[in-house]
Amino acid sequence: LATGAAYAAPAADNWDNHCASCHGADGKAQTKIGKKMKIRDYTDAKVQAELTDEYMLKATAEGVTVDGKERMKGFKSELSADEIKDLVAHIRKFKA
């Protein structure tokens, strides 16, 4: 192991720790919060096609605000740029 290298958690662990409570373990957003906030189903190919990697990277890092209200907090202070990139790749795996 490299000395001084930051530990990067696997994308699946980061998903479970930061995303699954709202987006669901399976990405379908069938959680209490997911249903209430009408979060999109990441297993839907149409949803996946509409979401660019650039948008998902920015949303994950900086959060999502709609009409001045925070809908999702950003994770740039908790996750490295590589971890965020890995999360986007993880989200792509949900596509049916």
Side-chain angles (χ1 to χ4, degrees), residues 40-42 44-56 91-92 95:
R40 301 171 85 188
D41 178 355
Y42 289 150
D44 184 328
K46 183 179 177 190
V47 171
Q48 288 270 356
E50 292 171 1
L51 296 172
T52 65
D53 286 357
E54 292 77 21
Y55 172 81
M56 289 194 290
I91 291 167
R92 293 297 186 201
K95 186 168 118 180

Side-chain angles (χ1 to χ4, degrees), residues 5-73:
Y7 170 75
D13 288 351
N14 281 330
W15 179 266
D16 290 344
N17 293 331
H18 301 289
C19 312
S21 61
C22 297
H23 291 277
D26 59 4
K28 292 185 179 195
Q30 292 302 302
T31 63
K32 187 175 183 178
I33 295 170
K35 290 176 185 178
K36 179 181 178 185
M37 296 186 70
K38 297 182 172 93
I39 296 174
R40 301 171 85 188
D41 178 355
Y42 289 150
T43 66
D44 184 328
K46 183 179 177 190
V47 171
Q48 288 270 356
E50 292 171 1
L51 296 172
T52 65
D53 286 357
E54 292 77 21
Y55 172 81
M56 289 194 290
L57 288 166
K58 184 176 180 185
T60 305
E62 299 176 15
V64 177
T65 303
V66 177
D67 296 329
K69 292 186 180 183
E70 183 181 76
R71 289 192 35 99
M72 184 181 97
K73 77 172 201 153

